[in-house]
Amino acid sequence: MAAHRKSAHRKPKQRPFTGPAARTAATLALAGAATATSATGAGAAPAEPAPTAAQVRAKVDRLYHDAEVATEKYNGAKEKAAAAAKAVDALADEAARRTERLNTARHALGSLATAQYRTGALDPAVQLALSSDPDTYLERSAYLDRAGDRQAGLLSGVRRQLSGLARVKARADQETEALAARRAELHRHRTAIRTKLADARKLLATLTADERATFERSADARHGGAPAHADRSAPRTATTAATPAPASGTRAARAISFAHGAIGKPYVWGATGPNAFDCSGLTQAAWRAAGVSLPRTTYTQINAGQRVPRSQLAPGDLVFFYSGISHVGLYIGNGQMIHAPRPGAPVRIAPIDQMPFAGATRVA
C-alpha cells in the first residue's frame, strides 16, 4: 500500500512532442520569435532626420519666391476681375437705359393705338357717309394715314429696342460668367500665397534664434544688405556718381524720388501704396507719381516701354529678374535699384546682381 501511495503522488514524466504536435509547436515558437523581432525592430527604427538650418533656409527662400510668383498672378487676376466688374456695371447701366427707352416707345405706341381706336373704330366709307363735312373727314383721314405710318415706325422702334436689349443682356451674362471665373482665379492665387507664406513661417519657427538671425542676414545680403534706415541717408560715393543721375524735374527723377521716399515701408503682397508695396506695386506707384501709367504686374510692365540691354541701363529703368519675370525693381544707377524684396524685408536699395537678371525696360 505504501508503495502504491508513493507512486500515486509522483509527477508524470514530460515526454517530448513527436509527429504533428512537434511541428505545430515549432511553428508557433518561430512565429512568436518573428513577432518579437519585428516589434523590437519597429520600436528601434531611426526617426526621420530634422532638416538642417541650411535646408530650412533654402526651402524658405523657395517658398518666398513661389509666393511672389503667385502674387504677380494674383495682381493680374485682380486687375482682370476689376475690368470684368466694370464691364458688368456698364452693361447693367446700358440695359437700364434701353429698358427706359423701350418703355417710352411702348407707352407712345399704346397712346397712339388708343387714339386710333377712338377715332377710327368705324369703317372709313361709313364715316364718310355719315360725315356732314366731307372736307373735314378727308383731312382726318389723311391724319389717320400719317398716324398709321407713325405707328409702324413706333413698332419698328420697339422691335429694335427689344433686340438691342436682348443683345445687351446676353453680353452681360457673358461678362458675369467671366467675372465669376476671375474671382475664382483670384481666390486660388490668394490661397496659394497664404499657404506658402504660412509654410515659410512654420519652417522659420523650427530655427533657433541664432539660426534665424543668420537667415535674416543672408537674406539681407541677397536683397540689399544694409538696413532700410541706413539707405535713406547713404552718401553718394565716387563710384555711385559714375552713373549720372537723371536731370532734376524729369519723369525718371520724379519716379526715383518717390521710390526713395518709400524706403523702409513694408512689403505686403498685393499692395500699391502709400503705406506698403509689393515689387510691381512699388514701380507702378513710382512712375504714377511721375505722370506715367504702368500696368499692374511684372510680366506686363516689362512690355510697357522700350527694352534696353543691361549694359545701357539708365536711372529710372525697370529691371526684371527670374525666368518667369516675377520680380522688378527701379534702377537708380551704379548697379543699384530700389525694390520691395519680400515679406519681412521692407523697401530698400539693393544691387541688381543679387538675383537672376531677366531684362530691363525704359518707360520714358
Side-chain angles (χ1 to χ4, degrees):
M1 289 292 294
H4 176 74
R5 285 195 298 270
K6 186 176 181 180
S7 63
H9 290 285
R10 187 180 299 152
K11 290 184 179 180
K13 184 177 181 181
Q14 297 292 334
R15 295 181 180 179
F17 291 116
T18 59
R23 288 194 296 270
T24 302
T27 301
L28 292 173
L30 288 172
T35 303
T37 303
S38 175
T40 303
E48 186 73 20
T52 65
Q55 289 172 330
V56 169
R57 290 195 296 268
K59 288 181 180 179
V60 169
D61 279 340
R62 185 166 60 253
L63 285 167
Y64 278 151
H65 174 70
D66 291 346
E68 189 165 47
V69 172
T71 294
E72 290 306 311
K73 290 179 179 178
Y74 168 87
N75 291 337
K78 185 177 181 181
E79 194 172 43
K80 291 174 183 176
K86 187 176 180 181
V88 168
D89 289 343
L91 288 169
D93 289 343
E94 184 179 353
R97 289 192 299 270
R98 285 180 178 271
T99 300
E100 185 177 358
R101 290 198 295 268
L102 174 62
N103 290 337
T104 300
R106 280 173 167 166
H107 178 73
L109 183 62
S111 298
L112 182 60
T114 300
Q116 281 185 309
Y117 177 79
R118 288 173 178 170
T119 60
L122 293 176
D123 183 87
V126 177
Q127 290 187 50
L128 178 59
L130 296 177
S131 176
S132 59
D133 187 351
D135 290 337
T136 301
Y137 168 75
L138 291 174
E139 289 177 3
R140 185 184 300 165
S141 179
Y143 168 77
L144 289 173
D145 288 341
R146 291 193 299 273
D149 292 339
R150 183 184 173 205
Q151 183 180 25
L154 286 172
L155 281 170
S156 179
V158 168
R159 292 192 193 98
R160 285 196 303 273
Q161 291 292 344
L162 284 169
S163 178
L165 184 58
R167 287 195 301 272
V168 169
K169 287 183 176 180
R171 285 166 49 206
D173 288 342
Q174 293 174 351
E175 289 294 341
T176 300
E177 290 179 4
L179 177 58
R182 298 301 184 195
R183 284 176 173 167
E185 183 184 4
L186 204 60
H187 176 73
R188 288 196 303 273
H189 294 315
R190 183 189 294 116
T191 300
I193 294 165
R194 289 174 174 169
T195 300
K196 292 180 187 302
L197 293 180
D199 289 345
R201 286 192 294 269
K202 289 177 184 177
L203 281 171
L204 287 173
T206 65
L207 298 178
T208 65
D210 288 343
E211 289 170 338
R212 182 76 176 265
T214 299
F215 170 80
E216 294 298 338
R217 284 194 298 271
S218 65
D220 282 345
R222 290 190 300 276
H223 294 101
H229 62 78
D231 291 337
R232 291 179 179 273
S233 57
R236 288 176 57 86
T237 64
T239 306
T240 304
T243 302
S248 177
T250 62
R251 286 182 291 186
R254 293 200 297 272
I256 291 174
S257 176
F258 179 94
H260 269 286
I263 289 174
K265 293 185 177 180
Y267 176 103
V268 174
W269 61 269
T272 58
N275 299 317
F277 302 90
D278 62 21
C279 67
S280 57
L282 174 64
T283 51
Q284 184 187 50
W287 273 103
R288 185 191 300 120
V292 177
S293 178
L294 289 182
R296 178 63 182 93
T297 64
T298 52
Y299 50 85
T300 51
Q301 287 183 7
I302 197 171
N303 297 317
Q306 177 187 355
R307 296 287 188 93
V308 292
R310 183 169 179 168
S311 60
Q312 297 178 20
L313 285 174
D317 291 346
L318 302 179
V319 283
F320 299 88
F321 304 91
Y322 300 103
S323 59
I325 319 297
S326 59
H327 191 75
V328 62
L330 184 69
Y331 189 69
I332 59 174
N334 192 42
Q336 302 285 308
M337 66 177 172
I338 299 176
H339 73 145
R342 59 171 178 82
V347 176
R348 61 183 61 182
I349 292 175
I352 66 171
D353 60 2
Q354 295 297 319
M355 290 178 283
F357 188 83
T361 293
R362 184 159 299 154
V363 177

